[in-house]
Amino acid sequence: MSDERIRRRAMEVLREGRFKLADDLLARSDLDLVSLVENLRVYQAELEIQNEELLRNQRQIQESLARFASLFNTLPVAELVIDHKGLVLEANPEAQALFGLSKAHLNQHFLARLIEEVDRGAVVGAWTKLSVDENLRLPEIRFRRLGDGGFIGDLHIAPLASPLGEIRQYVCAVLDRSEAVAQRRSLYESSERLRRSDSVLRERLKELAALHDVLAETARHEASVGEVLQHVVERLPDAWRFPDLAEARIQVAGSGYQTAGFVRSDWRQSVELKLSDGRAGEIQVVYRERPPVVEEDEPFLAEEGRLLKAVAAHVTSFLGRRCDEERLRETRERYRVLAEFSSEWEYWLGPEGRYLYVSPACERITGHSAAEFEADPELLTRLIHPEDRARWIAHAEHQRRDDECELDGLEFRLLTRDGRERWIEHICNQVIADDGRFLGRRGVNRDISERIEAERSLRLAARVFESTDEGVVITDPRARILAVNRAFTEITGYAEEEALGETPGLLRSGRQDSGFYSGMWDSLANRGHWRGELWNRHKEGHLFPVLLTVSSVLDDAGELTNYVGVFSDISHIKRAEERLEFLANHDPLTELPNRSMFQERLQQCIQRAERYKRQFALLFLDLDHFKDVNDTLGHPFGDALLKQVAEILAQQVRVVDTIARLGGDEFVVILEDIPEPRFAARFADRLMDVFAQPMIVVEQELFITVSIGISVYPQDGQDMDSLVRHADIAMYQAKSAGRNAFRFFEPLMSDGLARRMRLEHQLRGALERNEFVLHYQPQLSLDGRRLRGVETFCRWMHPELGLLPPERFLPMTEELGLIKELGCWVLEQSCGQLASWDRAGIRVPRLAVNLSMRELSGRETVARVREILERYRIAPERLELEVAESKLMRCADALVGNLKGIRELGVRLAVDDFGIGFSSMTLLQRLPLKRLKIDRSIVAALAADSDQRLVVRAIVSLAYSLGLSVLAEGIETREQADLLIGEGCEEGQGFFFCEPLPPGDLVWSWPA
């Protein structure tokens, strides 16, 4: 093929998009060397055309570089701009990705450093000789790349001339050709391998072709034995190394088959044939004269010997098969006569799995003729019911794997031609010749549909009678018991032998009178059945309700033969009805009255109080921080806590009082007939004392508090809605006052609730409206006044109320479920500010940020903290996350995993507001903490209360014993600072040093 024609063919391949020509070529099984070379030349032409196209594109890019400089960074090709010394001045994103270097790193490289040393001299030499009007293309240069072994690419260099015609800069384009080079090398190596194996392959193909022809001949059923053997010997010489000299012969039991030129010779090769009937034979291949090339006096190749043995094996198998078929033909007629007149469907399968005979009975059973089964051996498999087909296939597969196996009979369903379903009993036995050879299988398919149906009816009746959950009793016409089932014994307690011969009066409870039974017998006499409920007596004496159906059984003549009674124990239905009635008025978790019963009892209480001119109190209770318990310890734990709270409340009220659960963690208590409201206050105080004690819930110690609102009838309302609403308002006031308290309703509270609801509504969108701001308060060493860090404080810049402190909105944020989103924002903004200070040269050693329980318990918390630190490039030890002591101690066990995960990042953990909770020494040792922060209430009382100094001393001593640091918050006077220093406290923060301020207002007058 000429070069021009190859080029045109390559262009056609490229236009059609067949870019995997080489892969398709290698995958072909009819590959030869000529077509391989031709296709490789076409592929080479494709590569040259592609390369020319790349060169044209490169020249167009160089010509338009000045006009489209703004597109430099969007080009899909790696581009570099270098000066006359080779220093990289610009690099587009493709170049950065290709070399694995950032733009800043690339701009510090010389072009020569990006090229492997083996190619560096050639590139530098060619580049330095460029003139103004010349472009340089260096194909397949080996480049370096950060992180791996580099790549191979084409380097295009074009000078950028100054207005004076001087070359000051060059534009370099780098095209990654690693894949193309690797593909070309792979094609070359494949070509060499194919060339070397071509000659060997030709010889093997010749041998395989001869063996294939032998197999084809011996598989012919229409040809005689002599014809087949003659064709075999005529085909063999062509498979030998010297076919012009080769002759072949087969001798079997006195008969011989040979090629025309066969003669006895010293250069021969033979294999013995051993037939199954005891006869022997031989197959020979000879050379008429000495072959021209003989290695070590051996005229035949080892492969030729193996081929002759393979041919001998196939000839032996062919002769044995023909012998078997002849015997089968002889006995087939005798077998057919016996089977033609049988009512059973008989068949004979040959060793190959094809039917040798099928009796005519198959058509009566299936609707398909014997000829159809003989023509299609798989017809029976397709007729078997889909649900039974897998068992049949497994049965047949077992037979094929082991000719000598004896299998038990198989029963299956079969679908006839008209769609009816029949049951078949299949029995199959092997047929063995006198000499022990396997000749096939003889089988019988017997229609057993009627027997199966009869057995099924009997089994169904027996199964229904014995397995039904309803008691069944059968009597004679005189009501004497003839039979009972298992359920009768289980329901009544009477064994079968105890009931037989008795009457159903054995179970009479005495709760139904004689008129009831008279109506039953009248119904049986007139309508033949009766159905109704009655009470029976168990053998052990207790009564139980049943639903009974009694029916009369008549024979063909209409005479009464039996009564059949079917009954079921409906005790569980009665109990379910009672349970449903209970659940309609009670909470299923705590079994306290629910909202429906509470409203009913409250209305009754109002009516009694109005009638007798009495007072009563309504207490609305809400558990503090219950949502945190659910979020951290799980809902099953929360449910256990609610049940324990219900038990505690039940122990505190009188019999006449009512406790109810309205939903969630809300409970109400109706205190009836109280002389004065102070009795309600005393009851609330008692509840506070009870809840101040630690609770053991699911083997965990837990502190939980309650907030209580109280309304009193009649001064706080004379109807149900007013009393409940006012108690609810008072409860919210108790929560706003810091929780763990109770409040009586006051009229002014309604206005406060309205303001709170409006504030809650505005709070929901405050984050999206960017109304939150962050202030920062310095944390200093108390001895030298050195800056140790800053703590972040969140403020709400309300559009109407101005700047609101955290205590005005953070509790609402937690209740509304917004605290997690706000906490993420605070952490993000705080770390961003720390990074900003770093860039401005302001060194802040530590950033303290508060974490809510919702954030700390989240699965993604550790990953989010890691991501923020990495994004702002902040060392983990500079971040300190604070958790309030009261919340941490409440759910510490559930948070240990996240706390350890945060600590493993290198982030420090601190306990905020320490000293006012119920910390456990053991728990503090288990937690990965770094610092304790003394609560501001303790610091405020230092000067006036010597006991508080002892508290500070104990906290400092505890911290040092655990290897923790101590920081005091809320320092407002020098006296407090001096006292803290005297007790060994290291660090502090408070208004005495600096109030929380926006980042721009902080005066950095403390050395870090």
Side-chain angles (χ1 to χ4, degrees):
M1 186 181 294
S2 65
D3 292 344
E4 182 60 31
R5 184 179 176 187
I6 290 173
R7 188 173 181 85
R8 285 200 304 272
R9 181 175 176 186
M11 289 295 293
E12 291 173 0
V13 170
L14 289 173
R15 290 192 190 98
E16 293 171 2
R18 295 187 287 120
F19 301 111
K20 294 185 177 180
L21 182 60
D23 293 340
D24 296 341
L25 177 63
L26 291 175
R28 289 171 49 187
S29 61
D30 58 346
L31 183 65
D32 59 50
L33 186 59
V34 175
S35 62
L36 173 63
V37 173
E38 179 180 340
N39 281 277
L40 285 175
R41 292 181 63 194
V42 172
Y43 181 66
Q44 182 179 4
E46 291 177 38
L47 294 178
E48 291 174 354
I49 293 171
Q50 294 177 22
N51 197 35
E52 291 170 4
E53 185 64 23
L54 288 175
L55 289 175
R56 285 194 294 273
N57 291 339
Q58 182 64 28
R59 286 194 295 272
Q60 292 173 3
I61 291 172
Q62 291 170 350
E63 292 169 358
S64 60
L65 183 61
R67 296 192 305 271
F68 299 99
S70 61
L71 297 178
F72 179 79
N73 286 331
T74 62
L75 289 174
V77 178
E79 293 284 345
L80 302 172
V81 177
I82 64 174
D83 63 12
H84 65 284
K85 296 181 179 179
L87 179 64
V88 177
L89 303 177
E90 293 290 341
N92 69 351
E94 285 292 328
Q96 298 170 31
L98 184 60
F99 289 98
L101 294 170
S102 66
K103 184 174 182 181
H105 283 85
L106 271 173
N107 289 350
Q108 299 173 8
H109 274 68
F110 284 92
L111 176 63
R113 292 176 59 191
L114 301 176
I115 300 171
E116 292 288 353
E117 187 174 354
V118 66
D119 290 335
R120 190 179 301 163
V123 172
V124 174
W127 157 52
T128 54
K129 296 177 182 179
L130 275 179
S131 63
V132 175
D133 54 352
E134 286 184 321
N135 293 329
L136 177 63
R137 174 182 175 271
L138 298 174
E140 299 184 5
I141 299 301
R142 281 160 284 197
F143 290 91
R144 292 179 173 178
R145 175 161 50 200
L146 182 63
D148 60 20
F151 64 95
I152 297 176
D154 292 347
L155 174 62
H156 299 259
I157 304 177
L160 292 178
S162 68
L164 299 178
E166 298 176 349
I167 301 177
R168 294 182 177 177
Q169 295 180 353
Y170 297 85
V171 176
C172 301
V174 180
L175 303 178
D176 188 355
R177 299 295 301 279
S178 302
E179 185 176 352
V181 171
Q183 190 175 23
R184 187 175 69 248
R185 291 175 178 172
S186 176
L187 285 173
Y188 176 77
E189 293 170 359
S190 299
S191 175
E192 287 297 308
R193 288 195 300 271
L194 288 172
R195 184 184 60 77
R196 288 193 298 270
S197 61
D198 181 63
S199 59
V200 177
L201 182 61
R202 290 179 186 275
E203 290 297 325
R204 300 290 82 76
L205 287 175
K206 186 172 67 172
E207 296 170 3
L208 290 175
L211 185 59
H212 173 270
D213 292 344
V214 170
L215 288 173
E217 284 295 330
T218 57
R220 292 170 58 197
H221 293 282
E222 70 281 359
S224 66
V225 172
E227 290 175 342
V228 171
L229 295 182
Q230 186 61 41
H231 287 161
V232 169
V233 297
E234 290 175 355
R235 178 64 181 86
L236 285 180
D238 289 338
W240 260 248
R241 183 165 45 162
F242 306 107
D244 295 338
L245 300 178
E247 304 289 345
R249 180 175 68 176
I250 296 177
Q251 285 183 306
V252 180
S255 300
Y257 308 90
Q258 62 188 35
T259 55
F262 182 86
V263 296
R264 294 183 178 276
S265 170
D266 293 334
W267 301 285
R268 66 178 179 273
Q269 198 173 27
S270 63
V271 176
E272 184 181 3
L273 301 177
K274 294 182 179 180
L275 305 183
S276 58
D277 58 0
R279 295 178 298 165
E282 183 184 43
I283 181 168
Q284 281 188 3
V285 174
V286 302
Y287 286 133
R288 295 189 304 273
E289 57 187 53
R290 184 180 183 88
V293 178
V294 178
E295 298 177 2
E296 299 179 359
D297 298 328
E298 178 57 49
F300 297 99
L301 299 176
E303 290 82 356
E304 294 171 342
R306 288 193 292 270
L307 174 61
L308 189 60
K309 289 180 181 179
V311 172
H314 286 295
V315 170
T316 301
S317 176
F318 163 73
L319 293 174
R321 186 168 65 249
R322 284 298 180 92
C323 183
D324 294 339
E325 290 173 355
E326 182 63 26
R327 290 182 180 180
L328 287 174
R329 277 193 294 271
E330 292 173 358
T331 59
R332 184 173 182 178
E333 182 62 22
R334 293 193 298 271
Y335 178 80
R336 185 188 63 79
V337 171
L338 293 174
E340 288 288 340
F341 301 98
S342 172
S343 61
E344 296 178 341
W345 170 11
E346 300 186 20
Y347 65 89
W348 193 340
L349 280 174
E352 301 86 0
R354 301 187 64 85
Y355 285 106
L356 300 178
Y357 176 75
V358 180
S359 70
C362 68
E363 188 167 4
R364 177 181 57 80
I365 296 175
T366 68
H368 294 273
S369 66
E372 291 179 82
F373 283 98
E374 291 175 352
D376 184 2
E378 298 301 321
L379 177 59
L380 175 60
T381 301
R382 293 198 301 275
L383 294 179
I384 293 175
H385 194 283
E387 295 180 2
D388 297 339
R389 195 171 295 154
R391 291 192 299 114
W392 166 257
I393 292 174
H395 177 86
E397 181 63 26
H398 193 178
Q399 288 182 335
R400 279 193 289 268
R401 288 198 308 266
D402 187 358
D403 292 338
E404 298 181 0
C405 70
E406 290 289 346
L407 299 178
D408 296 333
L410 183 69
E411 293 181 0
F412 55 83
R413 289 165 293 178
L414 182 144
L415 300 177
T416 65
R417 184 187 291 276
D418 57 5
R420 290 180 300 161
E421 183 180 297
R422 289 184 178 274
W423 273 95
I424 301 297
E425 180 184 30
H426 169 79
I427 300 174
C428 184
N429 296 307
Q430 57 184 342
V431 179
I432 305 298
D434 295 339
D435 57 4
R437 287 179 298 109
F438 176 71
L439 301 182
R441 289 187 176 274
R442 177 187 179 278
V444 176
N445 292 325
R446 185 175 296 117
D447 186 355
I448 58 171
S449 301
E450 293 181 0
R451 190 194 81 193
I452 291 293
E453 188 61 31
E455 292 175 354
R456 179 185 297 165
S457 299
L458 290 174
R459 286 196 302 270
L460 181 61
R463 188 179 302 114
V464 170
F465 185 75
E466 285 300 327
S467 64
T468 181
D469 291 334
E470 297 177 319
V472 180
V473 55
I474 301 175
T475 73
D476 61 16
R478 295 181 299 166
R480 295 292 177 182
I481 297 175
L482 301 177
V484 295
N485 68 345
R486 174 189 54 79
F488 174 93
T489 300
E490 294 175 352
I491 295 173
T492 66
Y494 288 98
E496 181 179 7
E497 57 272 16
E498 294 175 312
L500 296 181
E502 299 289 338
T503 69
L506 177 72
L507 305 175
R508 185 168 296 181
S509 65
R511 292 188 63 168
Q512 289 83 29
D513 56 20
S514 58
F516 175 86
Y517 292 105
S518 296
M520 177 191 298
W521 290 112
D522 289 343
S523 178
L524 284 171
N526 297 326
R527 296 194 297 272
H529 68 274
W530 178 88
R531 179 182 175 86
E533 291 185 10
L534 73 157
W535 287 82
N536 279 342
R537 184 180 299 278
H538 194 273
K539 179 182 178 180
E540 296 178 354
H542 63 269
L543 305 184
F544 59 95
V546 297
L547 178 63
L548 172 65
T549 299
V550 184
S551 301
S552 302
V553 180
L554 306 179
D555 60 14
D556 295 337
E559 297 293 330
L560 177 67
T561 59
N562 299 98
Y563 290 111
V564 177
V566 179
F567 63 93
S568 58
D569 186 350
I570 59 174
S571 301
H572 64 286
I573 298 178
K574 297 294 185 181
R575 288 193 297 269
E577 291 174 350
E578 295 172 357
R579 180 63 179 171
L580 286 174
E581 183 179 357
F582 177 83
L583 292 177
N585 296 291
H586 291 79
D587 171 46
L589 178 64
T590 62
E591 297 190 351
L592 294 176
N594 59 11
R595 184 181 296 273
S596 175
M597 179 172 281
F598 160 72
Q599 291 174 343
E600 180 182 344
R601 290 191 180 180
L602 180 57
Q603 189 62 42
Q604 294 171 358
C605 188
I606 291 174
Q607 294 172 357
R608 286 194 297 269
E610 182 181 6
R611 182 182 304 117
Y612 299 111
K613 307 300 179 185
R614 295 175 179 171
Q615 295 185 98
F616 69 85
L618 177 64
L619 283 72
F620 201 110
L621 290 78
D622 187 272
L623 302 182
D624 297 331
H625 302 295
F626 179 73
K627 190 171 184 60
D628 290 341
V629 174
N630 261 348
D631 290 342
T632 56
L633 300 177
H635 289 277
F637 188 93
D639 290 346
L641 172 61
L642 292 174
K643 292 173 68 175
Q644 192 161 335
V645 168
E647 294 172 1
I648 291 174
L649 293 176
Q651 295 170 1
Q652 301 302 318
V653 299
R654 302 167 297 177
V655 176
V656 296
D657 299 329
T658 296
I659 311 170
R661 180 186 176 213
L662 301 186
D665 60 337
E666 295 179 344
F667 296 84
V668 289
V669 178
I670 303 175
L671 295 179
E672 287 205 46
D673 193 15
I674 59 172
E676 296 291 341
R678 58 188 174 85
F679 286 93
R682 188 181 305 164
F683 176 77
D685 273 330
R686 189 165 72 248
L687 287 182
M688 294 292 177
D689 292 339
V690 172
F691 281 100
Q693 304 302 316
M695 301 171 63
I696 304 299
V697 182
V698 193
E699 299 181 355
Q700 292 192 43
E701 187 178 75
L702 180 72
F703 289 92
I704 195 75
T705 58
V706 294
S707 296
I708 304 174
I710 306 173
S711 62
V712 179
Y713 175 89
Q715 53 264 43
D716 294 334
Q718 300 183 15
D719 60 82
M720 184 167 56
D721 291 340
S722 298
L723 289 168
V724 174
R725 186 174 69 257
H726 291 164
D728 190 21
I729 292 172
M731 184 272 293
Y732 271 106
Q733 289 296 320
K735 281 190 174 293
S736 299
R739 295 182 172 84
N740 193 22
F742 69 88
R743 291 289 185 273
F744 281 93
F745 172 74
E746 297 176 3
L748 293 178
M749 289 181 177
S750 296
D751 297 335
L753 181 62
R755 289 194 299 272
R756 173 188 171 87
M757 294 179 66
R758 184 165 58 253
L759 201 61
E760 286 183 358
H761 176 72
Q762 295 169 337
L763 183 59
R764 291 183 184 275
L767 190 58
E768 288 77 10
R769 296 190 297 270
N770 295 319
E771 293 176 0
F772 291 109
V773 296
L774 298 182
H775 288 183
Y776 300 88
Q777 185 178 47
Q779 296 176 332
L780 306 172
S781 63
L782 295 181
D783 54 355
R785 304 295 193 267
R786 299 182 65 85
L787 179 66
R788 294 295 180 84
V790 296
E791 181 178 358
T792 303
F793 290 87
C794 185
R795 302 287 191 264
W796 182 11
M797 183 58 73
H798 194 279
E800 300 171 3
L801 304 177
L803 195 65
L804 299 182
E807 57 269 16
R808 287 288 303 275
F809 63 87
L810 281 184
M812 283 191 292
T813 306
E814 293 186 5
E815 294 171 9
L816 297 175
L818 304 175
I819 189 65
K820 190 173 183 179
E821 185 178 359
L822 178 59
C824 292
W825 180 85
V826 170
L827 182 60
E828 174 91 17
Q829 296 298 315
S830 299
C831 290
Q833 182 59 55
L834 184 61
S836 177
W837 282 329
D838 288 345
R839 290 192 297 271
I842 301 172
R843 178 62 179 174
V844 177
R846 181 176 69 230
L847 173 68
V849 181
N850 280 275
L851 274 188
S852 67
M853 293 299 293
R854 185 74 61 84
E855 293 175 272
L856 193 55
S857 61
R859 296 180 178 178
E860 73 286 352
T861 298
V862 178
R864 185 173 66 252
V865 172
R866 181 191 296 111
E867 188 271 331
I868 292 175
L869 290 174
E870 291 175 352
R871 178 148 37 93
Y872 289 107
R873 298 182 180 179
I874 296 174
E877 63 271 13
R878 295 180 64 193
L879 177 62
E880 184 168 277
L881 299 179
E882 300 181 358
V883 186
E885 177 195 23
S886 56
K887 297 180 179 180
L888 181 61
M889 295 304 120
R890 186 184 304 118
C891 306
D893 290 336
L895 303 176
V896 168
N898 268 0
L899 290 173
K900 289 184 177 179
I902 291 173
R903 190 69 187 93
E904 288 171 358
L905 293 178
V907 176
R908 300 180 178 185
L909 294 169
V911 179
D912 198 13
D913 302 332
F914 190 80
I916 60 172
F918 303 92
S919 294
S920 164
M921 180 70 173
T922 303
L923 192 57
L924 288 175
Q925 288 177 319
R926 286 173 47 212
L927 298 178
L929 303 175
K930 178 64 177 177
R931 193 180 320 280
L932 301 181
K933 294 187 67 176
I934 302 174
D935 185 68
R936 63 179 63 251
S937 63
I938 298 174
V939 174
L942 270 180
D945 189 352
S946 60
D947 290 340
Q948 295 299 326
R949 300 178 197 172
L950 295 176
V951 172
V952 171
R953 189 176 305 161
I955 292 174
V956 172
S957 177
L958 172 64
Y960 289 165
S961 67
L962 296 175
L964 307 178
S965 302
V966 182
L967 183 146
E969 53 186 358
I971 302 174
E972 298 185 357
T973 66
R974 178 172 296 278
E975 183 181 6
Q976 292 172 350
D978 292 339
L979 289 171
L980 287 167
I981 293 174
E983 297 299 339
C985 184
E986 302 169 337
E987 301 176 8
Q989 66 184 86
F991 280 32
F992 173 66
F993 304 112
C994 180
E995 63 180 310
L997 294 172
D1001 295 345
L1002 284 174
V1003 178
W1004 302 101
S1005 58
W1006 307 280

